[in-house]
Amino acid sequence: MIRDGSKIRIELIQLILHGVVLQKIIRMMTMNLKDQPIKNLEGKIVRCEECGCDYFYPIYVLKKVSRLMTGLSKDKIVPLQAFRCAECGHINRD
């Protein structure tokens, strides 16, 4: 009986740790670019894959993450930033 109880406790601890790790990954994925220093602005200009326009509007895609994945008591909605073309509204895959 003690072995079964300790096995359940170990599995519960593993699930909690898994949730904490996932929370950190989600936090890292949702960091804004403004929080990261930009050292070199000599990059390639990104253009719309559909029309070739080089102007974009920031938009957000909302992802619902299960409480089982985050280890929280409720499901969590995580905003992920994307960019929509200013001309045709297309969202590039990259």
Side-chain angles (χ1 to χ4, degrees):
M1 217 46 195
I2 295 174
R3 287 186 178 176
D4 292 336
S6 62
K7 183 178 179 182
I8 290 172
R9 274 186 245 127
I10 290 171
E11 289 176 2
L12 181 60
I13 290 170
Q14 287 173 338
L15 284 173
I16 291 169
L17 290 175
H18 182 68
V20 169
V21 169
L22 283 175
Q23 283 178 342
K24 288 182 181 179
I25 291 171
I26 290 169
R27 226 178 278 127
M28 286 173 26
M29 290 174 59
T30 57
M31 283 178 54
N32 290 332
L33 288 176
K34 66 182 178 183
D35 297 335
Q36 301 173 2
I38 298 175
K39 296 180 182 176
N40 185 1
L41 294 177
E42 296 178 19
K44 179 181 169 186
I45 292 178
V46 176
R47 299 197 185 276
C48 176
E49 296 168 344
E50 294 292 317
C51 71
C53 179
D54 56 356
Y55 293 99
F56 294 86
Y57 292 117
I59 60 170
Y60 290 90
V61 177
L62 299 177
K63 295 269 186 169
K64 189 171 188 178
V65 182
S66 169
R67 63 188 168 90
L68 300 174
M69 296 297 287
T70 62
L72 300 172
S73 60
K74 292 183 179 179
D75 291 347
K76 182 159 179 97
I77 295 181
V78 178
L80 301 173
Q81 190 172 22
F83 296 94
R84 184 183 71 191
C85 175
E87 291 291 323
C88 70
H90 176 74
I91 301 171
N92 286 352
R93 289 195 170 245
D94 291 338

